[in-house]
Amino acid sequence: MEARSRGRAVAGGIVPLVLVAVLLAYMLGPGSEMLRLGVPLPEISIERVDFVGSEILATVRNTGPVPVDVALADVNDRIQPAAVEPDRHLERLESALVRIPFEWNVAEPYAIGITTDDGTRFEKMVDAAAPATRPTWDLAAFFALVGTFVGVVPVVIGMLWLPFLRGMSSARYHFFLALTAGLLLFLAIDATEEALDISRNDLAGAFNGALLVATAIALSFLALYYSGERLAGRTGPAAAGLMISVGIGLHNFGEGLAIGAAIGIGSLAFGTFLIVGFTLHNVTEGLAIAASVSRRRPALPVLAALAMIAGAPAILGAWTGGFAYSPMASAIFLGVGAGAILQVVLVVLRWIRNEGGRFSSPSVTLGLASGMLVMYLTSILV
Amino acid sequence: MISRSRAVLAAVLVAGLSAVIALPMISDAQTEVRTFVTHNGAIVKTSGDVLDPLYTPSTVEFDPDEFLRNFEYGRVSISETGQTVRDFTIIARDDLIQEVSPGVFYNVWTFNGTVPGPTLRATEGDLLRINFINNGSKAHTIHFHGIHPAGMDGVFEPVGSGGRFVYEFEAGPVGVHPYHCHIMPLEEHIVHGLYGMFIVDPREGREPADEMVMVLNGLDTDFDGENNFYAANTIPFYYQHHPIQIDAGDLVRIYVANMVEFDPINNFHLHGNLYKYYPTGTDVVPSFYTDMITLSQTERGIMEFTYEHPGKYLFHAHKVEFSEKGWVGIFLVRGDGGEGYGS
């Protein structure tokens, strides 16, 4: 009986799937004529343009509803002989590399055009040509240094507020916890905005960028919420500090990406500017971690580990952004960071309540408001 | 147990879906190495496909070599009054898709199946009867430049889909004239390819020469109001990879007409030589001796030149944007005794 009812349950789960498969097969097969409405327009996206030696490399992806063939390449609207690897035929979402031999000049703008078999020309504008970054040890060391300055150093400096936070009155402590929540809330919004920006500017419409970001945020929130509950059950309240460090670490990974990509695409001045801004901005993140652990007496190695978890991902981010920038990966990482931070905000707010604080109390309200404001003001530097 | 098996099922589903999405991105790699030559003469190797309109053999249905020296004189008869009568049949279509540059397919609108349409040729005073059949889906006409009665102008007598019309007039004046469809929107009908050349020879004839036709045109393959390609006789870069062979010492005569739309001017520059230029071909005395003539829309004329030295000579638009998008070619001048350059 048991086996039979289980079999029935499995069948009940599978029957709708089978019906969907049949429906799909019909719509794509015999029923496709019925659904042929309008004219499918081919579309490709030039996802990135690299300037290497005496070649311009354009990565193109078929982001339209039908397969296309790449027919021609041009630079500044002048036809150039080129090669397309692995081949000119692109199925939906397939990508290829178009190599255009061209003696380009540093810092000059270029319009890269790709024409498909139906004669449509797609263009990507590059504001200033710069040699593509090649992964060398020197550059890797440079990115590591930058990541340390942006991530690790300010977080450690911020954590030096720990003795100051210890032994303060409960109302003051609530203020600093709320301040942390405010800081984090700002970071979550910031990361979301950045992810949407990237998805809007650099991601083909076919990928539904905004929904990709929303999905990344939701999944990361749920994953951390779930694991956070498990972790809290096992190791006690000390987990909150770890959760905050992880959230901030993901966020700093995103900042590393932005800096690495800025240097990678050659806008070094912009990169320097970002570094200064992020360094100041991130001191506040150390404060957030310090506030979360100040009521316990964590050992020094634990504090060091928290600082590394929060700060070191900036180095990884800089490497990724500088050497293997992908708009899709960036949008996803930033979305994951935003979801993680939102989860931490929830943890902090719940913690304030567990400590006997109320949202309507002056210290909590003021803390949240100050957190947002401090972040906004330091963000102007970025 | 059940929850675990469901989790496994979900994981399998997710993995399966990811594989379906990711698979098309992994393309079958090719191992064959191909090479191509850049504009600067560098040789580049690739494991992929070569995108090169200059040196890629294309399967174009239209043959610019054949078009270059082809003249249609019509079916000739003599009327009761002794006048030469030339009957032409021209069929318009607007449904053909042709490969206009290697790998690029475009909906051409055609007179007798080609862009440009056939080069019609008559002698001054001949009676012309052009039997026009519109097999297109839209209304079309033929509007000839030249002198003829108002009712034969092909403007106020649109010929609907499946319709016919006979244009009848005396050939004149002497010269080289374009003809084209004159249905609105005019730009659309012209830029799709409904045009051609009409030559009226003087009764006494012209000096014997190696004669050829070049209709300078452009193709706006993505309909954005700008030409994606330019050419002499439609196919970009064609005469660069199929040089036009002429003989040193021979008189060469080119009938040129500019049918480029969107861009206000076009021009014709000849390397290593100068040509005598007869604007509109209406006079037998040249107006210019130059290597550079600028032509606006439907401006046309006759160019005459003779090469002394064998070798390869470029000719192209000196509006170099046009030449870098296809309006460029080569004259291969063969020496005496048929010994050409590189032979």
Side-chain angles (χ1 to χ4, degrees):
Chain A
M1 282 308 278
E2 178 75 9
R4 222 170 128 188
S5 71
R6 186 184 291 176
R8 205 177 282 170
V10 169
I14 285 172
V15 165
L17 287 179
V18 171
L19 288 179
V20 166
V22 169
L23 186 66
L24 276 179
Y26 175 75
M27 288 199 296
L28 296 175
S32 60
E33 284 300 317
M34 174 186 81
L35 296 166
R36 191 160 293 163
L37 304 168
V39 183
L41 287 178
E43 183 195 299
I44 57 165
S45 301
I46 304 172
E47 290 190 336
R48 55 181 289 173
V49 176
D50 291 312
F51 296 85
V52 179
S54 53
E55 283 188 16
I56 298 176
L57 306 177
T59 307
V60 297
R61 189 182 292 278
N62 176 2
T63 48
V66 286
V68 296
D69 283 292
V70 174
L72 265 186
D74 69 72
V75 176
N76 293 339
D77 207 16
R78 307 292 183 266
I79 295 167
Q80 300 290 337
V84 53
E85 296 168 355
D87 63 85
R88 69 198 307 164
H89 184 75
L90 296 179
E91 288 295 330
R92 280 200 68 188
L93 296 178
E94 189 181 346
S95 74
L97 183 73
V98 179
R99 294 172 49 203
I100 313 170
F102 194 87
E103 301 292 338
W104 51 273
N105 304 320
V106 172
E108 280 182 23
Y110 288 99
I112 308 304
I114 303 289
T115 302
T116 53
D117 52 328
D118 68 329
T120 310
R121 178 176 177 271
F122 298 87
E123 186 182 282
K124 173 97 171 177
M125 191 70 208
V126 177
D127 293 334
T133 48
R134 291 281 137 222
T136 60
W137 287 112
D138 280 358
L139 198 58
F142 172 67
F143 279 142
L145 186 71
V146 167
T148 309
F149 268 111
V150 168
V152 182
V153 170
V155 167
V156 169
I157 291 175
M159 286 176 76
L160 295 179
W161 268 306
L162 190 57
F164 165 76
L165 291 166
R166 274 191 191 135
M168 69 173 41
S169 75
S170 141
R172 279 216 189 131
Y173 183 54
H174 290 165
F175 169 81
F176 279 102
L177 279 182
L179 180 77
T180 301
L183 301 176
L184 293 171
L185 188 60
F186 185 93
L187 291 183
I189 297 168
D190 188 30
T192 308
E193 195 203 1
E194 184 69 20
L196 289 175
D197 242 22
I198 289 173
S199 65
R200 193 165 38 237
N201 295 336
D202 299 330
L203 214 53
F207 290 115
N208 299 330
L211 291 174
L212 174 73
V213 172
T215 306
I217 292 174
L219 289 184
S220 127
F221 179 88
L222 289 171
L224 282 172
Y225 188 80
Y226 178 81
S227 54
E229 296 287 298
R230 294 291 134 114
L231 215 59
R234 213 164 287 167
T235 63
L242 177 62
M243 297 308 298
I244 288 182
S245 290
V246 168
I248 288 175
L250 284 168
H251 171 80
N252 281 343
F253 182 83
E255 290 183 345
L257 271 183
I259 293 167
I263 295 171
I265 60 173
S267 46
L268 193 62
F270 177 58
T272 315
F273 190 53
L274 274 180
I275 294 163
V276 174
F278 280 134
T279 305
L280 290 177
H281 195 60
N282 290 355
V283 171
T284 52
E285 296 171 356
L287 176 67
I289 299 168
S292 68
V293 297
S294 66
R295 285 293 141 114
R296 277 141 223 125
R297 301 230 162 245
L300 203 58
V302 173
L303 286 176
L306 290 181
M308 288 312 285
I309 289 169
I315 301 170
L316 288 176
W319 284 337
T320 313
F323 297 138
Y325 182 76
S326 135
M328 184 182 237
S330 303
I332 292 173
F333 277 126
L334 287 165
V336 166
I341 293 166
L342 283 175
Q343 193 273 337
V344 176
V345 170
L346 191 73
V347 168
V348 173
L349 291 178
R350 207 194 275 163
W351 183 11
I352 294 174
R353 202 176 54 194
N354 290 348
E355 290 253 332
R358 298 211 337 260
F359 291 137
S360 54
S361 72
S363 54
V364 173
T365 311
L366 205 63
L368 277 168
S370 315
M372 290 290 289
L373 204 60
V374 165
M375 285 312 252
Y376 173 71
L377 292 176
T378 53
S379 77
I380 293 174
L381 295 169
V382 176
Chain B
M1 279 308 281
I2 286 177
S3 80
R4 179 164 298 174
S5 68
R6 280 205 187 141
V8 169
L9 184 67
V12 167
L13 274 177
V14 168
L17 272 176
S18 314
V20 166
I21 292 168
L23 260 182
M25 303 188 195
I26 305 159
S27 204
D28 44 341
Q30 298 183 352
T31 45
E32 189 188 346
V33 173
R34 298 185 176 90
T35 55
F36 64 100
V37 183
T38 72
H39 283 338
N40 300 335
I43 292 168
V44 177
K45 285 194 169 85
T46 176
S47 58
D49 290 335
V50 174
L51 307 176
D52 185 0
L54 269 72
Y55 299 106
T56 312
S58 125
T59 55
V60 288
E61 286 124 292
F62 171 65
D63 183 351
D65 277 335
E66 192 187 308
F67 179 84
L68 185 72
R69 291 185 172 103
N70 187 51
F71 301 93
E72 299 286 342
Y73 293 93
R75 291 181 304 283
V76 181
S77 56
I78 306 293
S79 76
E80 287 166 9
T81 59
Q83 190 179 24
T84 303
V85 180
R86 295 181 189 273
D87 273 280
F88 297 92
T89 301
I90 293 188
I91 301 169
R93 288 179 68 173
D94 48 32
D95 61 338
L96 293 174
I97 305 279
Q98 289 185 356
E99 189 177 14
V100 291
S101 177
V104 177
F105 297 84
Y106 178 65
N107 171 212
V108 285
W109 297 3
T110 56
F111 287 134
N112 287 0
T114 60
V115 178
T119 302
L120 310 183
R121 193 159 185 182
T123 304
E124 183 186 16
D126 289 354
L127 181 68
L128 305 182
R129 265 203 301 260
I130 292 115
N131 303 286
F132 176 56
I133 302 166
N134 180 8
N135 279 348
S137 61
K138 297 176 167 63
H140 297 298
T141 64
I142 307 179
H143 160 69
F144 287 88
H145 286 215
I147 299 169
H148 45 247
M152 294 295 140
D153 201 37
V155 173
F156 303 113
E157 307 78 17
V159 182
S161 179
R164 287 162 178 258
F165 193 91
V166 180
Y167 297 96
E168 195 173 308
F169 54 89
E170 261 186 26
V174 166
V176 43
H177 310 292
Y179 66 86
H180 57 87
C181 176
H182 212 296
I183 293 292
M184 303 294 275
L186 194 49
E187 196 173 58
E188 182 188 10
H189 284 249
I190 291 177
V191 84
H192 271 85
L194 290 173
Y195 48 79
M197 189 183 281
F198 166 49
I199 297 168
V200 181
D201 291 321
R203 284 198 181 88
E204 61 277 20
R206 293 182 193 271
E207 193 186 338
D210 183 357
E211 296 194 316
M212 50 190 80
V213 173
M214 288 192 194
V215 177
L216 312 183
N217 50 2
L219 296 166
D220 175 20
T221 55
D222 52 9
F223 314 106
D224 62 354
E226 285 177 30
N227 289 306
N228 297 58
F229 302 98
Y230 297 87
N233 300 337
T234 310
I235 309 300
F237 302 107
Y238 186 86
Y239 297 121
Q240 188 170 2
H241 53 89
H242 302 84
I244 299 171
Q245 301 195 21
I246 56 177
D247 289 315
D250 274 9
L251 177 67
V252 176
R253 180 178 297 126
I254 311 179
Y255 297 92
V256 180
N258 176 37
M259 295 307 295
V260 162
E261 282 296 333
F262 309 120
D263 302 282
I265 60 149
N266 198 345
N267 47 39
F268 191 120
H269 168 54
L270 185 66
H271 279 226
N273 212 340
L274 277 75
Y275 49 80
K276 291 175 184 154
Y277 185 65
Y278 306 78
T280 318
T282 44
D283 205 334
V284 291
V285 180
S287 302
F288 301 99
Y289 183 56
T290 178
D291 63 3
M292 175 68 191
I293 282 290
T294 293
L295 301 161
S296 183
Q297 269 70 40
T298 71
E299 267 200 283
R300 69 280 186 186
I302 299 173
M303 296 169 179
E304 287 180 348
F305 55 88
T306 303
Y307 272 100
E308 269 180 58
H309 311 291
K312 280 200 296 186
Y313 297 94
L314 213 61
F315 63 98
H316 61 95
H318 222 301
K319 163 75 177 136
V320 286
E321 176 197 353
F322 298 0
S323 61
E324 290 190 66
K325 288 160 122 174
W327 169 188
V328 55
I330 291 172
F331 283 116
L332 179 56
V333 182
R334 292 173 297 204
D336 293 332
E339 288 164 39
Y341 172 90
S343 66

